[in-house]
Amino acid sequence: MLKPERPHFSSGPCAKRPGFSLAALEGALLGRSHRAAAPKARIAEVIARSRAILGMPEDWRLGVVPASDTGAVEMALWSLLGPRGVDVPVWESFSGEWAADIAEQLRLPDVRILRAPYGRLPDLAAVDWARDVVFVWNGTTSGVRLPDGGWIAPDREGLAICDATSAAFAMALPWERLDVVTWSWQKVLGGEAAHGMLALSPRAVARLESHTPPWPLPKIFRLTKGGKLIEGIFRGETINTPSLLCVEDALDGLRWAEAVGGLPALIARAEGNLALVSDWVARSDWAAFLAEEPATRSCTSVCLRFKALAPERQPEVARRMAAFLEREGVALDAAHYRDAPPGLRLWCGATVEREDVARVLPWLDAAYEAALKG
């Protein structure tokens, strides 16, 4: 069997763009202050290119913020929540983390958590759009995504706060039905870690400027000063010091995305990879998607479960399979997420080549056979 040329199937940090080498970073403005004109212009370029590729509305703000997608989500939660009750649909680990933060750390008095087990979505019709709603677009740890934004009320009173970290650049986001969108560089475009992106609609900005949280906000969470949005954050004036090496890497990924055809091409690459896995799963006698409904199956974080293996055997077989794949050098970091049901997780986002997906699938069968033998 042929091996993938790039065995990088980790769900974060994810595969670099095809053809990447460290030579792409030679123009990085190392040893410079991020506040100097040239480095600040590079950061602003990340913002501008991201906006353009994603088709973000002109009246939205977009900024680079600390601490990856986690930092961006936490900034939104701690800065925006409080005036209304909050609904949190939960169907995987990170949506569960946001629910816990809202209920146990912010200790808001009116929180409804709508839970579903791994593999399913909650009852989205039960969401109340008179309230703020915090949700993930794609469950990175479950491989379950939202099929569309039709469940989001266009005339909502509350804010739609969306963690889109493994969806942005690989799935169509309905900007008109969202108010806060977050993601990180290390997902779909394969950038380096530690930097997040925070996008705010005019409705979100209005909330920020009209609502003062009753709890203390650390400096890295503060988006307003004197009751007004700190506009500089959305022009490249970052809250803390970013890595200019990572900025250069992010620009490289964005330029590659433009070169291959922008968002439609990125979506097509990821969906094409999912289609290959879907065809293979349809023929498999041992593997199934963790996501039960086809329309909810992620095209980035593709999660597989065992079809008929006895439950007590599944954890050890999954462990052996992941070890086999890494030992053979065909799929690195393909183990299921620690809180998810036993199985495998393959990143199939836009930076992963279709041929590498085709080549890794027979190795999954080999790994299963080897794991059963012990």
Side-chain angles (χ1 to χ4, degrees):
M1 293 184 293
L2 293 175
K3 294 185 176 183
E5 289 191 10
R6 296 193 306 158
H8 303 122
F9 292 97
S10 164
S11 289
C14 302
K16 307 297 287 183
R17 55 94 173 163
F20 175 83
S21 75
L22 291 177
L25 308 183
E26 290 178 354
L29 299 176
L30 303 183
R32 297 290 310 275
S33 168
H34 61 292
R35 298 185 180 89
K40 182 180 169 182
R42 297 280 179 92
I43 300 168
E45 186 181 349
V46 170
I47 294 171
R49 288 181 183 271
S50 298
R51 292 181 62 100
I53 293 171
L54 291 171
M56 189 177 298
E58 288 295 324
D59 57 358
W60 278 58
R61 270 80 158 194
L62 177 62
V64 177
V65 298
S68 190
D69 177 66
T70 300
V73 173
E74 295 287 9
M75 289 176 75
L77 301 185
W78 287 73
S79 299
L80 289 163
L81 296 184
R84 295 177 178 268
V86 184
D87 280 2
V88 192
V90 170
W91 66 89
E92 51 83 62
S93 298
F94 287 99
S95 50
E97 293 284 354
W98 309 145
D101 280 359
I102 294 165
E104 299 169 18
Q105 301 301 320
L106 290 174
R107 300 179 183 178
L108 295 183
D110 184 10
V111 181
R112 295 197 313 161
I113 300 174
L114 290 72
R115 294 189 184 273
Y118 272 88
R120 304 178 193 170
L121 288 173
D123 179 8
L124 298 177
V127 170
D128 181 358
W129 287 103
R131 303 158 66 83
D132 293 330
V133 183
V134 178
F135 57 97
V136 300
W137 193 271
N138 181 77
T140 309
T141 66
S142 69
V144 176
R145 63 171 162 179
L146 294 168
D148 55 51
W151 64 288
I152 304 172
D155 58 348
R156 61 196 174 278
E157 298 174 37
L159 297 178
I161 301 174
C162 176
D163 172 358
T165 195
S166 55
F169 298 101
M171 303 173 196
L173 298 174
W175 295 98
E176 71 283 357
R177 294 188 181 229
L178 302 172
D179 295 295
V180 178
V181 179
T182 68
W183 66 91
S184 59
W185 292 354
Q186 71 262 30
K187 293 295 186 182
V188 176
L189 295 186
E192 293 304 298
H195 300 78
M197 300 296 284
L198 176 65
L200 303 173
S201 75
R203 297 182 73 244
V205 173
R207 170 72 67 83
L208 283 169
E209 294 185 336
S210 63
H211 166 62
T212 301
W215 42 77
L217 284 179
K219 177 182 177 181
I220 61 170
F221 281 9
R222 295 175 202 157
L223 295 167
T224 61
K225 185 175 183 179
K228 293 295 182 182
L229 189 72
I230 303 174
E231 294 284 359
I233 294 172
F234 308 95
R235 296 194 295 259
E237 298 170 9
T238 54
I239 295 172
N240 70 336
T241 306
S243 163
L244 293 177
L245 188 65
C246 290
V247 167
E248 198 67 25
D249 183 69
L251 284 172
D252 177 70
L254 290 163
R255 292 177 186 130
W256 170 80
E258 294 164 351
V260 299
L263 185 60
L266 297 174
I267 292 174
R269 287 174 65 91
E271 293 288 356
N273 289 341
L274 173 61
L276 280 179
V277 181
S278 297
D279 290 345
W280 172 80
V281 166
R283 301 188 303 270
S284 177
D285 58 2
W286 67 268
F289 285 104
L290 184 54
E292 295 179 3
E293 297 295 327
T296 69
R297 290 170 185 164
S298 172
C299 63
T300 54
S301 52
V302 177
C303 295
L304 302 172
R305 63 174 177 83
F306 297 108
K307 188 178 291 184
L309 189 65
E312 63 273 15
R313 296 198 63 191
Q314 291 183 15
E316 181 61 18
V317 169
R319 186 194 66 77
R320 290 175 180 174
M321 289 182 69
F324 175 92
L325 294 167
E326 182 154 353
R327 187 167 61 249
E328 293 293 333
V330 292
L332 306 177
D333 311 319
H336 63 276
Y337 190 73
R338 61 180 178 268
D339 295 335
L344 295 174
R345 181 172 60 155
L346 293 178
W347 183 260
C348 289
T351 57
V352 177
E353 294 281 42
R354 185 180 178 90
E355 180 61 26
D356 283 338
V357 176
R359 290 185 180 188
V360 79
L361 295 174
W363 285 97
L364 304 188
D365 291 321
Y368 182 70
E369 292 175 10
L372 288 180
K373 295 174 183 176

